Amino acid sequence: MGSRPLRIRHMPDPAQTASQSISPVEYPPIRGRIGHAHVAVITIIEEEFEAVTKVLGTSINVPRTPYFVEAASDNNIWNIAVSQCTDRSNLPAGLEVQGILEDLRPRFILLVGIAGGICENGQPRDSISLGDVVIPEYVNYGEFLKIDGNTIRMRHYPFDHPSLHLRRNVSLPLARTFKLKDAVTEQPPGDTNYKIHIGQILAVEKIMGGVDNVFQDTLIATFDKALALDMESIGIARGVCEGRTSFWYNPRYAIIRGISDHVGLQGNDGMRSKWKAYAAHAAAIVAREFIRNLPL
Amino acid sequence: MHESEYQRLKNAAQAMVDLLPKPEHEFSLNIGWAKDYDELFRNRMSATAEDSILDQARLSGRVLLSGKGGSGKTHLLYRVARKSIERGWLPIFLSLKSWNASDYGRWKEWSQQAGGGAAFLLHRFLNGEVTATSLDLLPPTVHKLLLLDGLNEIAAPLGQDILWEVDKLVRDQMQMSAVVTDRLTRRELPSPTRWSLGVVRPLDAAVIGQFTDGSKFDLQTVLLSSPFFLDVALQEKKPTRIADFIAKKAGLSALELGLLAKMAFEAYEKSKSRTFAIDDFSFVPEAVIKRLNDANILSLTNEGAQFSHHLIHDYLAAVHVSLLKESDWTGQTLNVISFDSSSFDAVAFVFLELDQSRSEQFLRSVYDWNLYAAGYIVSEAARYGRMPSEEMLVVILAMLAEKRFDLVVASSQRAADALLVSEVGSAAAYSAAESIEGIKGIVASHDFAAQWFKQWRDAFILSKDAEVDEEQFKCLFSTDSIKGWTLANVLKRTKLSEQRQIVLKRELPKSGEALRWRIVHVLGSYPTEENSTTLFEILDRDPEVNVRYGAVRSLAELAFHAEERLRENITANLVKRTDALSRDPKVRDELTKALIIDPRRAPKGWLTVVLQIAREFFMREEKIEERDRWRSYAAKAEAYYS
């Protein structure tokens, strides 16, 4: 897959005669401080990074950077660059996006990894099974504000949702046509539906104490359509929104999460340990297909 | 459109560069590059010529050039601007030297909105001709270089905020780099790995020799390694006191110099900046102002009046303070000339203006106000060859060194930095001591005749199992701040009986601010329910912010020393007070600093203490930047204590 200069053809001026020729205008890709990557893939935990670099073939490190690419490049232009966040949660994810946007000015950013499937009354929403993959269409998030020590209010700040254009043109067709079962090369540790869900994700806040905190429980109940839960989506969403500051640059993003556990069920930690490697692999497989179908 | 905008900005940049002053003597400088502040303060740097600055800016995106006052940073930046144009870059030069009093309010207003701070800087210092949008309209192949001079010209907290805005602007713009000048102080850098830290090195003997031919000047004078002072010396044909230089250049009498010094001080007092309204100082005759202007000592613009170098303003303000009565050397006066402890250059100049006996008294006043300022004075005194008494030198270095072993990371780091950059030769031993016992050993080796020093030394070197005698205990109540604070620290690390703790608590309601502060400081080492109750009462009710500040720090320390139940109790009570603390920012900030303790000494469960409190503050903050601050704080605590 090549990253070729964008060719733009001028629209003809109606006043121009048919005999006049029209020249295409070529723009080189927008470069960041290090170079340019067409797609930047962000992972969080070690299992996610291992799965993604293996599936995408991005094993070459760009010297003195945290980025891994398919092959070295003399002009520092790559198709795909993969990085791993320094830590879990929204803040490091947001900082990672900031760094990538500045360094590589990628056209597309993918957050690829694992997440917890949300359960209600002991049942996973939308019958989501372990090993399934969620591509969020919408990121839910709310910050709790405590006023005068007692009253609780929610606050929001600007962030981007996953690209609607990518959802329509890549995610939805992929969910309907891609045979995940035939594509995975790792064995799932148990039964799975091999399904790709398009739905909502709920991002929670690490400083609030993780999923066991009573405020997080309230969030889960409030956002009753969310299928999966993670701690990084809002960091990516905010980072992309805040990074879209130039006329010349319009990054878009998507999130691809393999389900590794069921939030709220007994034995959740054990479930995650058992399924995280496979869930990361399934997400990486879907990510590879996603990238193949990206518009150039 | 892009082409015409590019041409307009390019022409404006060229015009700006053409107008930049070129001094009669231009000194080429070397830059020391350090990986981080720890390496920088330990002088572990790789040196390059100043030509490397642009390459470094391109590579990392951001360069922070630090240096002492008078080290030549501004003219260096002018040369960088000229070189950038030669490379085909677009320089955008912002000088904070013309920051004035009203800018503080306007900054606060503009920076309410995201990106407002950067927008204010461009609007304010480029007369609205350049905005972030107009820069963005330039083709993404144009390399833009933001040059920001004088982060040290404004109060430290604001300087910190500006650094963050610059960081964001560089990130958001296509192909932008930044070079910022600052004094030598540890800054909290946004995205630290993306900032190249450089220090402007003092001129070496070879460079000085080129200008002075070695025969007319004493090349041992360290002063001449500063471009500012070398320039003055070359103009005068000899190393010269700044006041004499000004008086001679502008033809001022002693009386007129005194009026000028008063104006310099009151300008800082009124405007908290180096730009001021000349009309506010009608006591200085117009003829004097004209002479100063003609001599290029004072410039008069639409923005206001400004001395040609901040060291001149500092020096004159210091001359005024040196003429005051000793009783006027108060914290308030020292806050004026130091911009609320942001810069100690003027404070050091006061010391240098005074004769021996008055300078010792001044040093004590400074010590009472700010230990780090006292440390800075002795370091600068070494540069100028004007040392305080041997006794005072030992006291200040020892008190700084003791803080190296403070439980609180920020305190120990600051003390370590102060000793590492000190120009005093004997500071190295204090810096290298591996424990408080090591420091006591150094102190014990000094046997000066002065009685007060013997008393001080005997208290300082007491072993941790000892109890102070009655005479030493009374020193805590002394009006002599050196005796008082030394005893406060000694009582923290030796044995203090329950009876004496009760005595201290009984003194609280009858004592002045300084003594209450010392008492709460001592109580932090003795984890009892009663001490906890007393400290919370002080936190809730004391009218003085410094005392509440001391109380909250001691409560954090008490939580560290306490067994689990008392620790949980203290944490729960601090959590209950987060609403009140949110309205008391200095005290709240001290609590957050005090909770980040040496991870090697943190008790089990310390992370829970920090996160509980951080979460409560997080949930009370409305602004997204403040909530981010708490997120970062929680992440930092996790990194330290997980």
Side-chain angles (χ1 to χ4, degrees):
Chain A
M1 187 187 315
S3 181
R4 53 178 191 265
L6 189 65
R7 294 175 71 88
I8 296 175
R9 190 165 284 279
H10 283 303
M11 293 304 292
D13 182 342
Q16 281 184 324
T17 61
S19 61
Q20 285 180 323
S21 63
I22 300 162
S23 311
V25 174
E26 288 200 17
Y27 290 95
I30 302 288
R31 295 181 70 98
R33 204 160 298 284
I34 292 172
H36 170 78
H38 186 58
V39 182
V41 179
I42 299 174
T43 60
I44 312 293
I45 62 174
E46 194 61 31
E47 288 84 353
E48 293 165 356
F49 177 75
E50 295 289 345
V52 165
T53 48
K54 187 175 173 190
V55 166
L56 298 183
T58 48
S59 57
I60 311 289
N61 175 238
V62 177
R64 293 176 298 281
T65 81
Y67 307 115
F68 285 76
V69 296
E70 296 160 294
S73 163
D74 290 337
N75 60 356
N76 285 7
I77 294 179
W78 301 281
N79 296 322
I80 307 169
V82 177
S83 74
Q84 183 182 359
C85 256
T86 51
D87 199 358
R88 300 198 60 190
S89 88
N90 287 313
L91 189 67
L95 292 173
E96 189 70 23
V97 163
Q98 272 181 18
I100 286 174
L101 293 183
E102 182 175 340
D103 288 340
L104 299 174
R105 303 284 181 205
R107 294 198 175 116
F108 306 102
I109 296 138
L110 300 186
L111 171 65
V112 179
I114 63 175
I118 294 178
C119 291
E120 206 153 19
N121 302 321
Q123 295 300 319
R125 286 181 185 165
D126 203 33
S127 305
I128 202 165
S129 75
L130 298 172
D132 283 358
V133 173
V134 173
I135 304 178
E137 59 184 358
Y138 195 93
V139 175
N140 292 290
Y141 179 73
E143 289 200 316
F144 284 103
L145 186 72
K146 214 181 215 185
I147 300 174
D148 299 329
N150 288 316
T151 318
I152 305 292
R153 293 278 183 268
M154 279 178 62
R155 290 289 182 270
H156 304 276
Y157 52 65
F159 59 87
D160 275 12
H161 288 291
S163 164
L164 182 59
H165 174 80
L166 291 179
R167 193 210 320 169
R168 278 190 191 141
N169 295 289
V170 181
S171 310
L172 278 172
L174 193 151
R176 284 174 187 143
T177 61
F178 183 60
K179 303 279 181 252
L180 181 59
K181 187 174 182 180
D182 298 337
V184 292
T185 55
E186 306 277 339
Q187 267 297 108
D191 291 338
T192 176
N193 294 336
Y194 297 102
K195 199 173 165 201
I196 299 172
H197 303 253
I198 309 288
Q200 296 183 18
I201 195 164
L202 172 61
V204 294
E205 192 64 69
K206 197 176 187 189
I207 192 176
M208 294 300 294
V211 298
D212 299 323
N213 184 280
V214 65
F215 291 109
Q216 313 276 45
D217 287 345
T218 309
L219 267 182
I220 289 172
T222 305
F223 296 102
D224 57 342
K225 297 286 183 225
L227 300 183
L229 184 142
D230 77 1
M231 282 203 288
E232 290 82 23
S233 293
I234 193 63
I236 306 294
R238 185 179 157 192
V240 172
C241 180
E242 290 178 359
R244 186 176 298 101
T245 52
S246 172
F247 296 109
W248 302 95
Y249 183 49
N250 180 28
R252 284 161 284 176
Y253 84 95
I255 299 169
I256 300 171
R257 295 293 214 182
I259 299 301
S260 61
D261 55 281
H262 283 134
V263 175
L265 288 189
Q266 284 260 353
N268 188 50
D269 284 347
M271 208 186 289
R272 190 183 307 117
S273 297
K274 196 172 159 194
W275 278 87
K276 62 182 175 180
Y278 175 77
H281 171 74
I285 292 288
V286 171
R288 184 179 63 189
E289 189 62 20
F290 190 101
I291 292 170
R292 282 178 179 155
N293 286 284
L294 281 175
L296 293 176
Chain B
M1 179 178 73
H2 301 307
E3 183 61 28
S4 63
E5 184 64 10
Y6 173 54
Q7 216 41 62
R8 181 183 79 81
L9 290 173
K10 195 173 159 209
N11 292 342
Q14 184 66 61
M16 177 273 296
V17 159
D18 290 341
L19 287 173
L20 291 174
K22 262 195 174 183
E24 187 190 337
H25 308 108
E26 192 130 52
F27 312 110
S28 185
L29 298 170
N30 287 329
I31 310 297
W33 299 101
K35 202 164 56 104
D36 51 38
Y37 276 111
D38 286 342
E39 299 287 287
L40 190 145
F41 285 118
R42 280 162 181 77
N43 214 17
R44 288 185 202 139
M45 301 180 235
S46 55
T48 65
E50 64 178 58
D51 294 339
S52 62
I53 293 172
L54 282 179
D55 291 331
Q56 200 59 43
R58 179 108 200 201
L59 203 62
S60 63
R62 303 139 178 90
V63 170
L64 186 62
L65 284 177
S66 300
K68 289 184 188 282
S71 58
K73 299 186 292 292
T74 296
H75 283 281
L76 171 60
L77 220 57
Y78 294 161
R79 293 195 292 277
V80 171
R82 289 190 196 102
K83 288 203 173 82
S84 71
I85 289 243
E86 288 165 19
R87 279 201 189 192
W89 293 14
L90 189 77
I92 303 128
F93 200 104
L94 306 180
S95 174
L96 295 180
K97 290 176 193 294
S98 52
W99 187 278
N100 62 42
S102 64
D103 288 329
Y104 286 101
R106 289 166 68 199
W107 167 271
K108 198 171 169 190
E109 201 186 309
W110 282 61
S111 57
Q112 298 283 334
Q113 299 296 327
F120 171 74
L121 290 173
L122 292 173
H123 175 85
R124 166 70 175 86
F125 294 101
L126 297 175
N127 300 318
E129 288 183 13
V130 175
T131 63
T133 306
S134 65
L135 288 174
D136 187 51
L137 277 175
L138 298 175
T141 45
V142 173
H143 199 99
K144 295 161 272 198
L145 180 67
L146 180 71
L147 298 149
L148 185 79
D149 188 30
L151 207 62
N152 48 295
E153 301 286 343
I154 54 180
L158 179 54
Q160 191 62 56
D161 290 344
I162 287 178
L163 213 53
W164 282 71
E165 286 289 329
V166 167
D167 186 82
K168 189 168 188 316
L169 189 64
V170 166
R171 198 167 64 235
D172 290 346
Q173 287 276 332
M174 299 292 115
Q175 301 293 343
M176 181 180 264
S177 306
V179 181
V180 178
T181 62
D182 194 11
R183 68 176 169 280
L184 197 55
T185 186
R186 189 183 285 260
R187 294 277 188 189
E188 193 191 329
L189 293 173
S191 40
T193 53
R194 290 178 184 270
W195 281 88
S196 294
L197 290 182
V199 170
V200 179
R201 308 294 289 158
L203 297 172
D204 60 33
V207 172
I208 299 169
Q210 279 170 24
F211 288 91
T212 63
D213 79 22
S215 60
K216 294 178 193 170
F217 296 85
D218 172 10
L219 291 178
Q220 298 307 309
T221 306
V222 173
L223 214 54
L224 294 179
S225 65
S226 158
F228 173 82
F229 290 106
L230 180 57
D231 189 52
V232 167
L234 288 170
Q235 289 185 53
E236 291 303 295
K237 310 283 189 281
K238 63 182 191 305
T240 300
R241 187 171 158 258
I242 295 181
D244 295 337
F245 168 71
I246 295 167
K248 186 179 167 195
K249 270 203 101 166
L252 300 181
S253 65
L255 178 67
E256 287 166 342
L257 192 66
L259 291 175
L260 188 62
K262 183 172 183 228
M263 179 177 86
F265 175 84
E266 290 185 9
Y268 275 168
E269 193 174 32
K270 279 196 164 97
S271 66
K272 280 197 180 196
S273 77
R274 307 196 197 275
T275 303
F276 51 93
I278 200 73
D279 294 339
D280 288 349
F281 305 101
S282 53
F283 57 80
V284 179
E286 272 187 41
V288 170
I289 300 296
K290 186 176 182 312
R291 271 183 267 143
L292 288 165
N293 190 224
D294 290 343
N296 293 324
I297 303 280
L298 187 71
S299 63
L300 304 168
T301 67
N302 292 336
E303 310 242 10
Q306 223 179 62
F307 288 98
S308 56
H309 196 287
H310 85 262
L311 284 183
I312 292 179
H313 195 152
D314 281 349
Y315 201 91
L316 289 168
V319 165
H320 176 76
V321 173
S322 73
L323 297 172
L324 296 175
K325 295 195 301 284
E326 287 163 16
S327 57
D328 288 331
W329 292 336
T330 60
Q332 195 176 344
T333 300
L334 295 169
N335 276 333
V336 166
I337 60 172
S338 68
F339 287 13
D340 295 332
S341 304
S342 296
S343 167
F344 298 139
D345 284 335
V347 182
F349 282 144
V350 178
F351 177 84
L352 294 166
E353 279 295 299
L354 296 166
D355 63 37
Q356 183 74 25
S357 64
R358 289 193 88 215
S359 66
E360 285 286 292
Q361 188 49 48
F362 178 72
L363 192 52
R364 282 172 180 269
S365 302
V366 170
Y367 172 88
D368 193 28
W369 164 70
N370 187 314
L371 171 62
Y372 300 99
Y376 186 81
I377 283 178
V378 302
S379 175
E380 287 300 287
R383 277 178 82 205
Y384 289 72
R386 266 283 320 272
M387 297 304 290
S389 64
E390 290 175 304
E391 293 90 343
M392 278 302 290
L393 185 61
V394 169
V395 166
I396 286 166
L397 291 178
M399 298 293 273
L400 271 175
E402 184 177 16
K403 277 197 172 296
R404 282 180 52 219
F405 303 98
D406 198 285
L407 185 61
V408 175
V409 168
S411 299
S412 70
Q413 195 168 67
R414 193 173 179 194
D417 289 351
L419 286 168
L420 282 169
V421 300
S422 180
E423 305 261 2
V424 178
S426 50
Y430 290 92
S431 225
E434 291 183 356
S435 64
I436 293 201
E437 296 307 312
I439 295 168
K440 286 187 206 169
I442 299 171
V443 169
S445 69
H446 294 291
D447 191 20
F448 305 123
Q451 195 54 31
W452 74 263
F453 178 80
K454 284 187 201 293
Q455 284 176 338
W456 174 86
R457 184 197 58 193
D458 292 346
F460 188 90
I461 62 175
L462 273 176
S463 91
K464 65 179 191 280
D465 298 321
E467 241 189 288
V468 303
D469 61 36
E470 198 54 35
E471 201 185 323
Q472 286 170 329
F473 184 70
K474 282 180 186 158
C475 286
L476 181 71
F477 303 87
S478 171
T479 50
D480 179 333
S481 63
I482 287 180
K483 277 188 192 166
W485 277 109
T486 301
L487 243 302
N489 288 335
V490 168
L491 289 174
K492 284 179 79 70
R493 53 177 164 83
T494 53
K495 279 191 148 95
L496 184 70
S497 66
E498 239 182 84
Q499 186 52 38
R500 276 187 168 162
Q501 290 176 45
I502 292 170
V503 165
L504 291 182
K505 282 181 281 200
R506 281 201 193 123
E507 287 298 316
L508 276 169
K510 331 176 214 167
S511 302
E513 178 190 345
L515 184 53
R516 293 202 307 281
W517 192 357
R518 286 178 209 159
I519 291 172
V520 301
H521 183 60
V522 171
L523 293 178
S525 290
Y526 298 96
T528 64
E529 294 271 3
E530 294 77 17
N531 288 343
S532 166
T533 303
T534 300
L535 288 170
F536 274 113
E537 279 169 6
I538 296 282
L539 181 63
D540 291 340
R541 296 196 194 98
D542 199 287
E544 298 298 336
V545 66
N546 284 336
V547 182
R548 295 196 305 278
Y549 168 108
V552 88
R553 188 188 167 99
S554 284
L555 281 163
E557 192 186 348
L558 222 56
F560 160 76
H561 287 297
E563 39 78 27
E564 198 177 328
R565 196 189 55 80
L566 179 57
R567 182 180 306 130
E568 281 173 5
N569 189 267
I570 292 170
T571 307
N573 274 294
L574 284 169
V575 163
K576 273 191 208 156
R577 285 162 171 81
T578 40
D579 273 331
L581 287 169
S582 295
R583 295 187 290 270
D584 201 353
K586 184 175 175 180
V587 177
R588 176 204 62 202
D589 290 349
E590 180 59 17
L591 174 61
T592 56
K593 259 192 230 159
L595 288 172
I596 303 295
I597 61 174
D598 186 347
R600 294 167 298 184
R601 294 154 74 179
K604 194 162 171 257
W606 189 252
L607 180 61
T608 306
V609 170
V610 181
L611 289 182
Q612 262 185 271
I613 294 170
R615 188 174 304 146
E616 289 298 320
F617 280 116
F618 170 78
M619 297 212 345
R620 278 161 178 78
E621 286 292 349
E622 185 94 45
K623 282 190 193 173
I624 191 175
E625 297 81 14
E626 293 301 315
R627 288 174 86 93
D628 279 348
R629 198 162 73 92
W630 290 109
R631 276 184 263 256
S632 292
Y633 180 77
K636 183 177 173 181
E638 282 190 5
Y640 269 22
Y641 307 120
S642 292

